Amino acid sequence: MACTPKMPALFICHGGGPMPLLGDPGHAGMIQHLKALPAKLPAQPSAILVISAHWEAKPVAVMTNSHPPMLYDYGGFPPETYEYSYSAPGAHALAKRTINMLKDAGIEAREDSHRGYDHGVFVPLMLMFPQATIPVYQVSLHPKFDPSTHIAMGKTLAPLREEGVLIIGSGMTYHNFSFRRADSEIFDKFLGEAVVGTDEATRSSRLCAWAQAPSARAAHPREEHLLPLMVVAGAAGDAPGQLLHKGDLMKCVCSDFWFD
């Protein structure tokens, strides 16, 4: 019997609303990077689990819909952006097991059988896996915007990687509509030093203290777009982070990270 390759855990920046799918020039580097990313994986994933910045639930919710609808959670874009379709099946059995894993770890969790794919999911996956044949499901952010809790969530989800499940944190390393490039560069430097090549304890300590970093609140007035990185860092275990991509995104600097 063939061995299922262990999947990495990834943090990716998903850009501004549907703009990557519209071919926005400010997203050109991101578009090219995400389209090329699947070729770097050890195999095709058995399923994809996404922690999106755009789903907050109390308690933590897990998508159990076998055929998730689309959730166009943006406004003011061209009509065609409300007609996009990503028909990947859900992962009902895996999602139910994920709920039990979280509960066994002392993290209150529930199922959501109605949730659809938000743009933090369908935008990057339409670029990465346009065939939409791989089962996809989501886990929401924890209602406590606490880094250590999200890292703990990631540790709980980590065993899924051994089953070929690709864990993706979908957010942004800079998320402030003032688009101050200098702040994005300063905070991106901090994240790189916190994540790339560091041991698990150092990485966790630095990420838990992210709000004290230079330009932290200028980069993230509210941290929902950063917290998916915490989950992915927890799922990484003792694997050091690698810089997957760094480039301009909507006039600012943003980075993606890979954990073996």
Side-chain angles (χ1 to χ4, degrees), residues 79-100:
E80 64 264 32
T81 65
Y82 302 92
E83 298 176 2
Y84 290 141
S85 176
Y86 193 70
S87 58
H92 178 80
L94 189 57
K96 296 284 279 189
R97 187 152 59 87
T98 300
I99 294 170
N100 290 332

Side-chain angles (χ1 to χ4, degrees), residues 47-52 54-55 57 59-71 86-99 102 109-122 125 134-141 157:
I48 301 170
L49 167 56
V50 184
I51 299 91
S52 168
H54 293 281
W55 192 14
V60 170
V62 180
M63 173 192 285
T64 57
N65 197 328
S66 295
H67 301 284
M70 300 293 284
L71 179 58
Y86 193 70
S87 58
H92 178 80
L94 189 57
K96 296 284 279 189
R97 187 152 59 87
T98 300
I99 294 170
L102 291 166
R110 62 174 175 85
E111 70 173 287
D112 188 323
S113 60
H114 301 289
R115 176 76 182 186
Y117 294 138
D118 63 61
H119 79 269
V121 179
F122 72 77
L125 292 189
I134 302 170
V136 177
Y137 72 113
Q138 293 182 242
V139 173
S140 77
L141 297 176
L157 301 172

Side-chain angles (χ1 to χ4, degrees), residues 31-217:
I31 295 167
Q32 182 180 13
H33 154 60
L34 290 183
K35 286 183 174 181
L37 202 163
K40 300 176 183 180
L41 299 174
Q44 179 169 289
S46 61
I48 301 170
L49 167 56
V50 184
I51 299 91
S52 168
H54 293 281
W55 192 14
E56 302 171 27
K58 184 178 182 180
V60 170
V62 180
M63 173 192 285
T64 57
N65 197 328
S66 295
H67 301 284
M70 300 293 284
L71 179 58
Y72 305 110
D73 54 336
Y74 43 69
F77 291 97
E80 64 264 32
T81 65
Y82 302 92
E83 298 176 2
Y84 290 141
S85 176
Y86 193 70
S87 58
H92 178 80
L94 189 57
K96 296 284 279 189
R97 187 152 59 87
T98 300
I99 294 170
N100 290 332
M101 292 169 68
L102 291 166
K103 288 181 175 178
D104 289 345
I107 299 169
E108 187 179 1
R110 62 174 175 85
E111 70 173 287
D112 188 323
S113 60
H114 301 289
R115 176 76 182 186
Y117 294 138
D118 63 61
H119 79 269
V121 179
F122 72 77
V123 169
L125 292 189
M126 285 176 72
L127 296 171
M128 294 169 64
F129 301 102
Q131 301 84 0
T133 55
I134 302 170
V136 177
Y137 72 113
Q138 293 182 242
V139 173
S140 77
L141 297 176
H142 193 280
K144 283 178 59 181
F145 273 24
D146 172 56
S148 62
T149 301
H150 287 84
I151 290 171
M153 284 174 59
K155 288 180 181 290
T156 301
L157 301 172
L160 296 171
R161 297 173 56 204
E162 302 285 351
E163 302 175 27
V165 177
L166 177 63
I167 298 177
I168 296 177
S170 176
M172 294 285 285
T173 51
Y174 176 88
H175 191 253
N176 187 330
F177 294 128
S178 64
F179 299 111
R180 291 191 290 264
R181 184 178 180 88
D183 287 326
S184 75
E185 291 174 337
I186 291 168
F187 190 68
D188 198 80
K189 181 175 183 291
F190 159 76
L191 284 180
E193 292 173 349
V195 167
V196 177
T198 53
D199 60 72
E200 182 179 8
T202 300
R203 178 179 69 227
S204 295
S205 175
R206 291 178 180 176
L207 289 178
C208 283
W210 76 271
Q212 283 73 56
S215 293
R217 283 299 178 188

